[in-house]
Amino acid sequence: MALIPEDGTGLANANTYADYAYFVVFCAQFGLAGTYTEEQAEPALTTSSIRWIDWQHEFAGEKLIETQALEFPRDNDIGLPAKIKQAAAYGAWLHLNNALLVNTAALSTAGEVISERKKLDVLETEKTYAKGSAQTYSRVLPADLENLLRPYLKLSTGFGRVVRVM
């Protein structure tokens, strides 16, 4: 798989915001542990850029070019912000370290019930699931990763917002 990083012009075939070289420098700069080959990092960079940054957020403004593959650059003259590249690199590192997988079994109602207890005096219910039968995993973006994206989100008070106080 070949990475095609967005260069700020609105490429129709871009699949990441950060390339492997940027990822390596970013990890070294922030002391993020681990050594990853290009073959390991490339799918993580694509996943971070497309699935976590683009698919899970609604950004202010419109795409610069209708045919561009990724959400950035936008029409508000900010090009490809450094924070978007940083978010792609950091998200890839988190992905490679399984830091975005969260077991949401407590929220799941699927699985084999091995015991159930109900108490009527003070209403109380309790269910115990067979180990491993109710595990549901989802991807969650940590707050520090979200903070990199916040200035560019549609409903944020970041870039391009004007507030008048009278």
Side-chain angles (χ1 to χ4, degrees), residues 25-100:
V25 169
F26 178 85
C27 289
Q29 179 181 7
F30 290 98
L32 302 176
T35 303
Y36 304 100
T37 66
E38 197 164 354
E39 290 75 28
Q40 292 171 313
E42 284 182 353
L45 285 163
T46 300
T47 297
S48 175
S49 296
I50 295 172
R51 290 182 68 195
W52 296 327
I53 295 174
D54 283 3
W55 290 2
Q56 291 190 16
H57 298 90
E58 191 173 349
F59 295 100
E62 299 296 324
K63 288 183 175 182
L64 185 64
I65 299 170
E66 187 176 314
T67 58
Q68 74 189 51
L70 299 175
E71 291 296 320
F72 279 89
R74 308 298 280 181
D75 65 355
N76 45 15
D77 289 332
I78 58 171
L80 179 59
K83 286 185 178 186
I84 298 298
K85 288 179 73 169
Q86 291 168 355
Y90 185 45
W93 182 83
L94 289 168
H95 176 69
L96 288 167
N97 287 279
N98 294 321
L100 295 177

